Amino acid sequence: MKSRRPSCTDSGSESSEPDSKSPEKYETATRRRMAANARERKRMQGLNTAFDRLRKVVPQWGQDKKLSKYETLQMALSYIMALNRILTDARRHNAPHRQWLEMQFDCVQPENYPCLMRYDSPTGQDYIHSSFSYQFDEHQVNV
DNA sequence: TAGGCCATCTGGTCCT
DNA sequence: AGGACCAGATGGCCTA
């Protein structure tokens, strides 16, 4: 577990004003703050669990380094767009499904995306943009 | 050592 | 009243 801010304790008492309230009210406020902190920690842990699950289903070819949260979201977005395009194109060309899908699937394999095997671009943004080139305005997701 | 990423605390707002 | 959610602040860890 990550270390926490030394100046902030679980008591949550730093910002409270003990002198302006009765001890009972102060204790109640402290207890509430502790409970709120615990809930917030739990909520964030749930969020991080969700991010981990997303990382597992999103392409991470050749990546030994874990994607950041931002990169994970960007990659998920691009991945969904790519899959959506495959389905849209398959429908449009009325291709024999299996053969068409296999061909399209091959296109998103690592060997066909050499840029994905490296993580040397200056920013994650560049990395994401080099991974998939789909744009919002070009490929609307029809729900 | 600076910058990126992250966990945690905290106060505010909205909802039940 | 209390819980969920959010955003800002802060400090720790890691890497180039």
Side-chain angles (χ1 to χ4, degrees):
Chain A
M1 183 153 116
K2 189 103 169 175
S3 65
R4 307 210 301 259
R5 276 165 59 183
S7 60
C8 302
T9 65
D10 265 346
S11 73
S13 60
E14 312 279 304
S15 60
S16 302
E17 296 288 339
D19 49 351
S20 63
K21 292 174 183 169
S22 68
E24 292 78 19
K25 283 190 176 175
Y26 173 62
E27 261 189 41
T28 304
T30 299
R31 222 180 311 116
R32 274 205 212 118
R33 225 325 120 193
M34 285 176 65
N37 289 349
R39 282 195 305 273
E40 180 64 8
R41 276 197 300 272
K42 195 174 173 189
R43 193 182 71 84
M44 293 309 293
Q45 280 161 11
L47 192 60
N48 288 335
T49 301
F51 265 105
D52 285 338
R53 293 175 64 187
L54 189 56
R55 278 187 193 100
K56 282 187 181 139
V57 298
V58 139
Q60 236 179 317
W61 305 310
Q63 274 282 84
D64 48 346
K65 185 170 166 283
K66 184 172 124 176
L67 289 178
S68 72
K69 292 177 181 179
Y70 175 77
E71 289 165 348
T72 302
L73 289 180
Q74 293 294 312
M75 182 59 86
L77 176 63
S78 298
Y79 190 44
I80 290 168
M81 301 292 241
L83 294 177
N84 184 59
R85 197 183 98 152
I86 289 172
L87 290 177
T88 304
D89 286 355
R91 236 180 268 132
R92 189 185 304 147
H93 294 101
N94 199 21
H97 290 326
R98 187 176 177 82
Q99 191 186 352
W100 174 266
L101 288 175
E102 278 173 2
M103 192 174 76
Q104 294 296 315
F105 191 71
D106 282 346
C107 291
V108 290
Q109 294 310 296
E111 60 269 25
N112 295 321
Y113 282 86
C115 59
L116 289 176
M117 307 304 286
R118 301 164 20 237
Y119 194 82
D120 55 2
S121 94
T123 66
Q125 187 110 359
D126 290 344
Y127 164 71
I128 295 298
H129 284 168
S130 68
S131 305
F132 294 103
S133 58
Y134 301 99
Q135 302 295 325
F136 268 124
D137 46 356
E138 288 177 12
H139 301 281
Q140 301 285 336
V141 179
N142 302 311
V143 185

